[in-house]
Amino acid sequence: MVSAAADLILFGGPILTMEADQPRAEALAVAEGRILAVGDQSEVMALAGPNTERINLQGRTLLPGFIDAHGHFANALQVVAWANIQRPPAGPVSDIAGLQEVLRNHVAEHPVEKGEWVVGYGYDPDGLSDGRPLDKADLDAVFPDNPVMLIHNSNHGAVLNSRGLELAGYDASTPDPAGGVIVRRPGSHEPAGLVMETAFLPLFVHMPQPSDTERLKRFAKAQELYSSKGITTAQDGATVAGDLTLFQQAAREGYLQIDLVLLPLVLEVPGMLRERFPHFEGETLQLPKPALDSFGTYHDHLKLQGIKLIVDGSPQGKTAFWSEPLLTPGPNGEANWRGQPLVPPEVLNDAVVRLAAQGVQLFAHCNGDAAIAMMIEACRKAGLKPDQDHRTVIIHSQFMASGQLEKYAELGIHPSFFTVHAFYFGDTHIVNLGLDRASRMSPMASAILLGLHCSNHNDYSVTPIEPMRMVETAMTRRSRSGVVLGESEQVSAETALRAITIEAAWQIREESSKGSLAPGKRADLVILDRDPSSVADDELNGIAVVATFKDGQCIYGSATGAMP
Amino acid sequence: MHIRLSDRSHALTNVSPLAALHGVPATVVGGYLGSGKTTLINGWLQEPGHRNWAVLVNDLGSINVDADRLRRSNGRVLELAGGCVCCTLRDGLGAALKQLAERPEPPEHVLIETSGMAVPRRVAAQLQLHRLEVARVLLVVDLERIEELWYDQWVGELVQQQFEGVDVLQFSKLDRLNPVMAQQRQDWLRQRLEEQRQRPSPPFHEERQLVRSDLWWQLEPLARQQVVDWSEQLGPEVLRAKGEVWLEDVADGPVSLDRIGNRLEMPTQACRPWSAPLQRRGRLIAISRATAPAPSWPATFQLPGGARN
């Protein structure tokens, strides 16, 4: 045991360490931003000095800070300026009058000029008690002079008011585009407000684009979205060139309070290199040495960890790539639709070989089993083996075919699962795939039996930042309507918690400094009001974060007991 | 005199960021990776008449963007950002169009070179929603590889879908096949396409230049027979004519028109209502061989007897 005095000692509640040989402890001491000791209360208390702050957890639960295994931090910089119109518990809206009230309050806090867009996110018609969906007239009543865009909770559509429809150029004469719909008022051609899929895409050019100065100002709020949920390491899991420049500036100027891990999108890498190494001439995807050296190390809370490849689309949008057709038509009405890859196999193989040979860690987005098969094949062709410790991660690994997890083990690939799909999209998956195939989603129990390192993610802003819903869905795999998708893949609370702590740390090569409570590790901590390993399943998502610590400093809430 | 402030501020603020591109003609050039799109487009960009055209390139499928090409083009070639819309909260095509719309001189024509993995008809549909005028959707086909790609286990279905709603097929690398082989492949492809959709396949174009396209706005209604007569006198150099016509016998909206080879499709019903009662007009596009002269249009052509219609 170390003899230095502790700055802080926490005791008096369950302490879940995520360490296999000592899963529970009575007290934890922090010195200089790191964990000094974890263990019996008497032993830890011996480290107290005259200036040590002692915090009695009063029965609350202490855990390592959560690690975002995959999500898009850049989206938080947009979303914090939008009105939250989600249904409870993620937001306050349960009827149309309440939604109008939220929008009124939003513009009171974020004033808009006449003609400027008002944007909200998380519209869910099923969450309205009015018995009808939102109509443009509901929004016109509040905003006659401003265009309004309320983004659907699928992120694949939005409700517009009359000004918004006018700007988009949608009226009774506009036909529905292939693969999209302009929802009409009953019995007429007149748009009702909701536009989905390909009819929604053109709206992105209207979305207000904040300047970099404005985005810098939003870093504090964006990070609070994470710290308020107990996350101390966030990810930007598909970084584009312009955002890399902004993140580097933010880090340099001290805007980062939590750690931020970047995975540059492979398509953006040539542009990033052109900007930073204008005279460098290399082969396809060859990185100059200083670029390679910049991976894996934090500078002012920011690090590049690997490169992101995208192999297919999303299962709920039916743009994932499966080996067998869906039971329902494709997004444009196609029969026998099984989705499509976004890159041809020869290109993927080439990218994996070239990047792996330079020692770059790869993170590949694959949702359908055919996309997963393409990535497995690319790794096999590149000669990847577990003993190289390359830690290639297949993000989502959502609908795996039998035998694919064994190939992961053989090649040293590890999955980052997305179990909240069971809740948000499980019922949709059952319609599209049938219960049997839908039940193969995120097979966490099988992966763990094979010894794979499994993380779990929210893929923010595809779904809200909800670590406890990740835990709940990894344990129950229950859909919104209550159907269980694959009972045999349910895992224990401990396993579910490991997936958002130590296993997530392992996937970004930080298991020796984060993800569990052990001496020498960073004092990244979260205090929850209840112990997730001992509450009923249906209470998990109601667990609240009391306080979050980064490197021993309280960055959210209050550790002394006052609830935020 | 009343100054209507509300209307004025409306005019100042409620303008689409793409307004400068509304009605600008657009060409979509699709084709699987390595089919030869870039070669065709680069050749065509050299022509002095195309100086004010803009080219948007999406290299999503090929990962490595040809940096030299972007540099040499003096800003005429723009790169489209990739990525999933719901992950990145951005739409690469829209963002690139916005960049074009912000230029002091909007382009005369926008050409999109799609990613090798894109279905060109879907890109065209997005351009239409952005209110550009889609003049033609071309698919570049490498006859040497098409049969193998058609049945490929990974990309076969995608390659087949790329043919959907294409106006003209443009063959590349014909010189790599002997003439007999080239003919066999064309016959094979025509059969596959007809099996797929039970209607004439798009016309084939073999010249090593992009086809020509001409656009005509119809501002007065015409008799149906006059349009039929016009269609019948078009020569073989016109590969395809399509669009919407304003007919005297259909009051409630424009009628769609599509002519492939000698076959004309022009239904008796309107294809949609008029946008506004005072904004009636027709619009036709003729796609012709690269070397063809400008085509005639229904309101101006001369019947063989010399009588002016």
Side-chain angles (χ1 to χ4, degrees):
Chain A
M1 193 147 296
V2 199
S3 58
D7 298 329
L8 172 69
I9 292 177
L10 295 129
F11 66 98
I15 298 180
L16 311 188
T17 67
M18 304 298 134
E19 287 284 318
D21 53 357
Q22 187 196 21
R24 298 220 164 212
E26 293 171 359
L28 176 139
V30 175
E32 291 173 354
R34 298 207 172 243
I35 296 169
L36 186 63
V38 194
D40 297 342
Q41 193 164 329
S42 56
E43 276 178 351
V44 175
M45 284 300 179
L47 297 166
N51 300 319
T52 301
E53 184 187 359
R54 295 162 202 235
I55 293 173
N56 186 339
L57 293 166
Q58 298 170 37
R60 293 170 175 133
T61 303
L62 182 69
L63 287 140
F66 301 133
I67 292 171
D68 176 19
H70 179 66
H72 302 278
F73 179 81
N75 292 2
L77 297 174
Q78 283 266 44
V79 172
V80 292
W82 296 345
N84 177 1
I85 55 158
Q86 297 178 93
R87 69 201 271 189
V93 168
S94 51
D95 58 21
I96 291 171
L99 188 150
Q100 291 170 324
E101 191 55 30
V102 169
L103 293 177
R104 276 192 206 97
N105 294 338
H106 178 76
V107 294
E109 277 174 42
H110 303 82
V112 282
E113 301 281 322
K114 207 171 194 175
E116 265 185 74
W117 280 92
V118 176
V119 183
Y121 70 98
Y123 170 64
D124 183 352
D126 298 331
L128 299 176
S129 63
D130 304 74
R132 67 168 177 89
L134 198 60
D135 182 90
K136 60 183 174 185
D138 300 316
L139 302 172
D140 292 345
V142 189
F143 298 105
D145 300 316
N146 290 79
V148 178
M149 181 191 316
L150 302 183
I151 299 171
H152 192 269
N153 63 347
S154 63
N155 279 341
H156 284 252
V159 182
L160 307 176
N161 68 345
S162 294
R163 275 278 185 268
L165 287 162
E166 194 183 310
L167 268 181
Y170 293 165
D171 58 30
S173 75
T174 316
D176 285 355
V181 58
I182 299 168
V183 175
R184 318 287 167 158
R185 282 181 165 168
S188 97
H189 287 290
E190 198 187 336
L194 181 64
V195 300
M196 292 294 293
E197 303 297 342
T198 55
F200 171 55
L201 275 182
L203 269 303
F204 280 86
V205 303
H206 296 280
M207 230 176 248
Q209 291 303 324
S211 66
D212 281 356
T213 318
E214 177 56 35
R215 289 207 294 166
L216 278 176
K217 286 189 207 150
R218 296 180 185 174
F219 267 72
K221 265 193 140 177
Q223 291 174 90
E224 199 183 311
L225 287 181
Y226 289 83
S227 61
S228 66
K229 301 292 180 181
I231 293 172
T232 47
T233 302
Q235 185 183 90
D236 190 61
T239 306
V240 299
D243 289 352
L244 175 62
T245 308
L246 178 78
F247 292 145
Q248 288 179 325
Q249 185 191 350
R252 237 181 3 253
E253 296 177 6
Y255 283 87
L256 290 179
Q257 209 176 19
I258 59 174
D259 287 339
L260 179 58
V261 176
L262 307 183
L263 307 179
L265 196 55
V266 67
L267 298 161
E268 297 277 324
V269 169
M272 291 170 180
L273 294 178
R274 275 203 299 278
E275 192 185 327
R276 289 167 179 78
F277 304 96
H279 304 299
F280 175 76
E281 283 181 26
E283 290 177 16
T284 303
L285 289 179
Q286 188 186 340
L287 277 70
K289 190 160 183 310
L292 279 174
D293 291 346
S294 65
F295 281 85
T297 313
Y298 281 103
H299 296 282
D300 307 308
H301 292 296
L302 183 71
K303 83 163 176 176
L304 295 162
Q305 183 55 33
I307 286 182
K308 174 80 175 289
L309 308 165
I310 300 185
V311 184
D312 66 350
S314 82
Q316 66 277 25
K318 303 189 187 185
T319 51
F321 184 35
W322 287 275
S323 58
E324 298 290 328
L326 299 181
L327 303 176
T328 52
N332 296 289
E334 299 90 342
N336 290 319
W337 175 257
R338 62 180 185 113
Q340 290 167 343
L342 286 174
V343 284
E346 61 267 33
V347 172
L348 180 67
N349 296 344
D350 186 56
V352 171
V353 168
R354 287 171 186 272
L355 293 169
Q358 297 173 82
V360 176
Q361 191 183 354
L362 298 174
F363 293 80
H365 161 127
C366 305
N367 266 311
D369 58 346
I372 294 167
M374 276 173 66
M375 187 60 192
I376 290 174
E377 183 61 11
C379 292
R380 198 185 60 73
K381 285 207 157 92
L384 296 185
K385 305 246 164 47
D387 59 9
Q388 298 157 348
D389 195 28
H390 54 85
R391 304 197 190 186
T392 297
V393 176
I394 297 192
I395 291 175
H396 307 319
S397 294
Q398 193 59 287
F399 291 101
M400 301 191 66
S402 65
Q404 288 186 325
L405 281 171
E406 287 77 0
K407 289 182 182 156
Y408 277 27
E410 200 181 303
L411 300 171
I413 303 169
H414 298 268
S416 183
F417 289 127
F418 194 178
T419 62
V420 298
H421 256 253
F423 176 77
Y424 285 106
F425 312 109
D427 296 318
T428 307
H429 295 330
I430 292 170
V431 172
N432 292 334
L433 295 159
L435 184 60
D436 275 0
R437 277 170 79 190
S439 298
R440 289 188 217 155
M441 59 159 286
S442 290
M444 195 182 279
S446 300
I448 285 170
L449 277 179
L450 287 165
L452 299 176
H453 290 274
C454 306
S455 69
N456 200 356
H457 58 257
N458 279 134
D459 199 7
Y460 179 76
S461 58
V462 175
T463 72
I465 301 171
E466 296 173 319
M468 287 302 116
R469 199 188 295 283
M470 284 194 265
V471 172
E472 191 254 319
T473 50
M475 292 169 67
T476 66
R477 302 171 66 87
R478 226 181 355 242
S479 76
R480 210 189 264 272
S481 74
V483 182
V484 172
L485 290 94
E487 204 179 344
S488 62
E489 296 294 346
Q490 291 173 339
V491 298
S492 67
E494 286 73 16
T495 301
L497 287 166
R498 287 176 60 86
I500 57 173
T501 53
I502 188 66
E503 300 296 3
W506 186 90
Q507 289 186 345
I508 52 169
R509 295 188 185 277
E510 294 191 52
E511 73 280 10
S512 61
S513 62
K514 284 183 187 168
S516 69
L517 305 179
K521 287 198 167 186
R522 292 186 174 278
D524 291 356
L525 311 169
V526 57
I527 301 173
L528 302 177
D529 69 346
R530 277 165 288 166
D531 177 353
S533 66
S534 64
V535 302
D537 298 346
D538 56 359
E539 285 177 33
L540 276 162
N541 209 42
I543 291 179
V545 173
V546 178
T548 305
F549 289 76
K550 178 77 187 100
D551 298 325
Q553 300 296 316
C554 183
I555 57 167
Y556 173 80
S558 157
T560 50
M563 289 289 287
Chain B
M1 185 182 143
H2 291 288
I3 297 172
R4 291 186 303 165
L5 277 175
S6 62
D7 281 4
R8 213 170 133 247
S9 64
H10 167 204
L12 285 174
T13 53
N14 253 2
V15 172
S16 163
L18 297 189
L21 295 180
H22 290 171
V24 170
T27 296
V28 178
V29 182
Y32 188 71
L33 205 73
S35 60
K37 300 185 290 286
T38 309
T39 313
L40 266 178
I41 292 169
N42 280 354
W44 166 92
L45 263 180
Q46 310 289 320
E47 289 180 32
H50 298 152
R51 202 172 294 129
N52 297 324
W53 289 44
V55 178
L56 302 182
V57 181
N58 187 348
D59 267 347
L60 183 62
S62 66
I63 289 188
N64 198 38
V65 172
D66 181 350
D68 273 352
R69 183 176 176 208
L70 300 181
R71 219 174 290 132
R72 278 196 315 263
S73 74
N74 297 322
R76 288 163 69 202
V77 179
L78 280 182
E79 191 184 332
L80 291 182
C84 159
V85 172
C86 74
C87 293
T88 57
L89 295 179
R90 73 187 80 207
D91 158 33
L93 176 61
L97 291 174
K98 201 166 152 185
Q99 244 178 296
L100 288 182
E102 282 162 3
R103 294 184 170 181
E105 291 277 318
E108 276 172 26
H109 194 118
V110 178
L111 186 143
I112 317 270
E113 179 183 339
T114 70
S115 127
M117 301 298 279
V119 175
R121 185 69 243 171
R122 293 184 202 153
V123 177
Q126 286 300 301
L127 289 168
Q128 264 159 351
L129 285 179
H130 282 304
R131 290 186 270 175
L132 279 83
E133 190 61 52
V134 176
R136 53 190 167 161
V137 182
L138 311 178
L139 185 71
V140 182
V141 179
D142 176 355
L143 279 180
E144 202 181 357
R145 286 187 72 202
I146 187 60
E147 194 168 344
E148 159 209 338
L149 288 172
W150 189 271
Y151 297 114
D152 183 90
Q153 65 158 323
W154 304 108
V155 299
E157 287 140 295
L158 170 77
V159 165
Q160 294 179 31
Q161 276 157 9
Q162 290 184 325
F163 286 83
E164 272 168 24
V166 164
D167 294 325
V168 172
L169 298 182
Q170 180 107 34
F171 296 126
S172 65
K173 306 179 187 175
L174 272 180
D175 49 340
R176 296 205 195 160
L177 295 172
N178 68 50
V180 177
M181 192 66 180
Q183 191 53 50
Q184 278 175 356
R185 281 285 164 81
Q186 292 192 33
D187 294 343
W188 173 88
L189 179 61
R190 204 182 299 274
Q191 269 178 5
R192 297 289 82 70
L193 293 173
E194 285 177 5
E195 277 166 16
Q196 247 189 358
R197 59 202 81 219
Q198 321 265 319
R199 59 186 174 88
S201 62
F204 291 6
H205 182 63
E206 298 161 31
E207 291 167 8
R208 304 194 66 179
Q209 288 178 65
L210 279 185
V211 288
R212 135 177 216 148
S213 77
D214 294 88
L215 174 67
W216 176 70
W217 291 103
Q218 177 200 2
L219 304 173
E220 300 285 339
L222 288 169
R224 181 178 291 270
Q225 190 55 45
Q226 188 169 359
V227 179
V228 173
D229 291 345
W230 163 76
S231 168
E232 280 171 0
Q233 58 78 48
L234 288 174
E237 74 284 0
V238 179
L239 298 165
R240 187 154 193 174
K242 57 184 292 181
E244 293 175 351
V245 283
W246 177 8
L247 295 183
E248 285 164 352
D249 60 339
V250 181
D252 50 345
V255 172
S256 66
L257 177 150
D258 192 4
R259 177 192 178 275
I260 302 179
N262 293 322
R263 179 173 162 158
L264 175 69
E265 281 181 30
M266 190 169 56
T268 51
Q269 307 275 317
C271 59
R272 60 180 179 90
W274 295 110
S275 308
L278 294 175
Q279 285 182 3
R280 296 180 190 192
R281 57 185 188 180
R283 171 196 54 108
L284 287 176
I285 287 156
I287 302 173
S288 321
R289 298 198 180 283
T291 48
S296 65
W297 299 108
T300 53
F301 81 99
Q302 305 279 318
L303 276 178
R308 167 134 191 166
N309 262 277

